[in-house]
Amino acid sequence: MHDLLTRSTVTEYTEQLGAATGLVAARVGSVRQPFSGASRAELQQLVDAVDLEASGVGTAEALREIDDLFLEHAIWFHEPAYAAHLNCPVALPAVAAEAILAAVNPSVDTYDQSSVGTLMERRLVEWTAQRIGFAAGDGVFTSGGTQSNLHALLLAREWALAQHGGSRSQVLPRFNILATASSHFSVEKSALILGLGDDAVVSVPDDGEGRMDPVALAASLAAIHAAGRIPMAVVATAGTTDRGVIDPVDAIADHCDAHGVWLHVDAAYGCGLLVSPRRRALIRGVERARSVTVDFHKSFFQPVSSSAIIVREPADLAAAAWHADYLNPLENEEPNQVDKSLQTTRRFDALKLWTTLRAIGADGIGEMFDTIIDLASAVGDEVEADPELELVGRSQLSTVLFRVRPAGTDEAAQDALVAQVRRVLFESGRALVAKTVIDGRPCLKLTLLNPATSLGDIRRVLDLVKDAAAALVDLQDVEVVA
């Protein structure tokens, strides 16, 4: 077949890959805003116009169509005016590795499908564990932080069951997971998937800035014991999605140790601190966790997907192991990753990180992460000094929360402006910012993950925000948003 990558089609492969990368390069070199601004109705019409039942048009024509349909209207995370979510521009060595990965197409569930790829992933897991401070840790790559958190809490559930005995039907309804209201939604979602009670997740009060209060944690643990329930796990967050703050892991670990509770650290956002030359101390105590989530496709600048669950005690991973004669028979001594993973077929996503580490080094990645944290701090200063803006707290990482307050508007009008401003900017395509709710009030959010973005770039985004707000006020088009 001439449409498959084989020995006989390597020339076509080279030509087609060159054409595809040429299209991307042309777009990256020419776009000047993060989105085209096309409406959803316009995009739906373009998608619906493609006849997927038609005869093939050939790769050249299909790529031209993709250029017009997808690349023309993609969201470009490398653009400085993109500041909405935890999406990063990607490291060039990782993009090159993706091309290799797609062509070879290994699956790292079993050794006989990946060979050296399995060993490379295991080496990277070991490297990450050592960066965390686990002397002999283990783990596996996953699709993202949500899966990593689910995997960790599954292991915590099985460990807690082994500690407390009894049947699942008797014990599971008594389990509690402790986290703050700022923890990732996947904690509550995991509790549902794991069959815990509807009231399983207990919200621990924070310090007023979104960080877990260790004194409140101690009180919550005591209350759980007094009620005859069982604390299954405590989830500390090293980089909350909205505020970008870090729970005091060391102090939290003290209470987990005292009560014999599994400590999981969700460092999906803050894992870049593991290679930070200047800020590693912000996650002091992470080495005392039982499990840690890391998202390389956030603060290590890797293409999606690239995440991992890392555990301190390798034996803990056995709780999720499953055997199938055609994959990992019990007598098989090969290092099959399906023994550790919740997935079966699984991409060799570790190759991207391996290539990036070899190309620019851990310190190089860490310096890029430090750069965006520096930028967020400077942007926070700008917002705080601007009478038309209101800073909502300070981040330890790279988010900036704020509201716009045009002259003559009250709090209700300012709250209503948040969603309106975000919508106006998105629909223009000129800048993308996010919206969230903090302490019951909506606010705008900048998530800065581009080391190439300058303070001047973000000043221009803030100017767009203020201009949009002023125009909305002038048009008296501000609606109260529930």
Side-chain angles (χ1 to χ4, degrees), residues 24-334:
V24 174
R27 291 289 181 181
V28 172
S30 62
V31 297
R32 292 295 180 267
Q33 60 185 46
F35 177 50
S36 68
S39 70
R40 187 169 63 181
E42 290 170 330
L43 296 178
Q44 189 67 60
Q45 186 176 21
L46 291 173
V47 170
D48 292 344
V50 177
D51 184 1
L52 296 177
E53 295 290 346
S55 299
V57 295
T59 302
E61 177 61 19
L63 288 176
R64 186 204 61 74
E65 183 180 277
I66 288 298
D67 185 34
D68 291 340
L69 176 62
F70 176 64
L71 294 180
E72 171 72 21
H73 303 291
I75 306 296
W76 295 102
F77 304 137
H78 74 278
E79 275 298 294
Y82 181 87
H85 302 288
L86 280 164
N87 307 111
C88 61
V90 288
L92 282 172
V95 177
E98 277 278 22
I100 296 171
L101 173 62
V104 180
N105 197 33
S107 178
V108 285
D109 49 329
T110 63
Y111 181 76
D112 64 354
Q113 296 178 77
S114 59
S115 63
V116 71
T118 291
L119 305 182
M120 291 169 73
E121 178 177 317
R122 289 195 164 200
R123 175 75 182 280
L124 274 176
V125 164
E126 177 186 348
W127 174 84
T128 306
Q130 290 171 350
R131 282 280 176 169
I132 290 169
F134 294 164
D138 200 355
V140 70
F141 272 61
T142 71
S143 64
T146 295
Q147 184 186 339
S148 293
N149 287 342
L150 171 63
H151 197 154
L153 292 173
L154 168 64
L155 300 180
R157 186 193 71 180
E158 296 305 290
W159 182 80
L161 280 168
Q163 300 303 305
H164 294 279
S167 68
R168 290 179 183 270
S169 61
Q170 292 174 324
V171 179
L172 286 185
R174 297 172 59 201
F175 279 170
N176 283 124
I177 300 170
L178 294 90
T180 68
S182 297
S183 66
H184 195 256
F185 76 87
S186 59
V187 174
E188 292 194 84
K189 189 173 184 178
S190 295
L192 174 66
I193 294 171
L194 294 172
L196 306 185
D198 291 341
D199 58 350
V201 179
V202 173
S203 184
V204 179
D206 62 37
D207 62 356
E209 297 293 333
R211 290 175 288 262
M212 184 181 288
D213 181 348
V215 175
L217 172 62
S220 296
L221 287 167
I224 287 170
H225 285 300
R229 297 179 67 85
I230 300 169
M232 184 192 95
V234 172
V235 178
T237 307
T240 58
T241 303
D242 279 341
R243 294 180 184 264
V245 295
I246 300 165
D247 290 339
V249 178
D250 221 10
I252 292 169
D254 288 341
H255 296 296
C256 291
D257 289 348
H259 289 266
V261 179
W262 183 293
L263 172 59
H264 174 63
V265 175
D266 177 3
Y269 182 7
C271 62
L273 296 170
L274 296 174
V275 290
S276 165
R278 293 186 274 129
R279 293 182 170 90
R280 177 60 172 79
L282 286 175
I283 50 171
R284 183 183 296 112
V286 68
E287 71 281 355
R288 301 175 64 186
R290 194 86 183 214
S291 56
V292 178
T293 287
V294 292
D295 263 13
F296 302 113
H297 58 231
K298 291 186 174 69
S299 49
F300 277 67
F301 310 101
Q302 298 297 290
V304 173
S305 60
S306 185
S307 179
I309 171 67
I310 308 294
V311 297
R312 189 180 68 207
E313 305 295 336
D316 288 336
L317 290 170
W322 204 269
H323 294 282
D325 285 339
Y326 68 95
L327 282 178
N328 57 341
L330 293 174
E331 71 275 10
N332 196 336
E333 296 184 358
E334 293 176 347

Side-chain angles (χ1 to χ4, degrees), residues 412-435:
Q414 291 163 18
D415 287 353
L417 277 171
V418 170
Q420 297 282 351
V421 166
R422 179 202 159 274
R423 176 181 57 80
V424 166
L425 294 184
F426 177 78
E427 290 179 352
S428 74
R430 293 177 296 169
L432 269 65
V433 300
K435 168 190 173 292

Side-chain angles (χ1 to χ4, degrees), residues 5 9-21:
L5 175 55
T9 59
V10 291
T11 299
E12 292 87 344
Y13 161 72
T14 303
E15 292 172 350
Q16 292 174 12
L17 191 62
T21 56

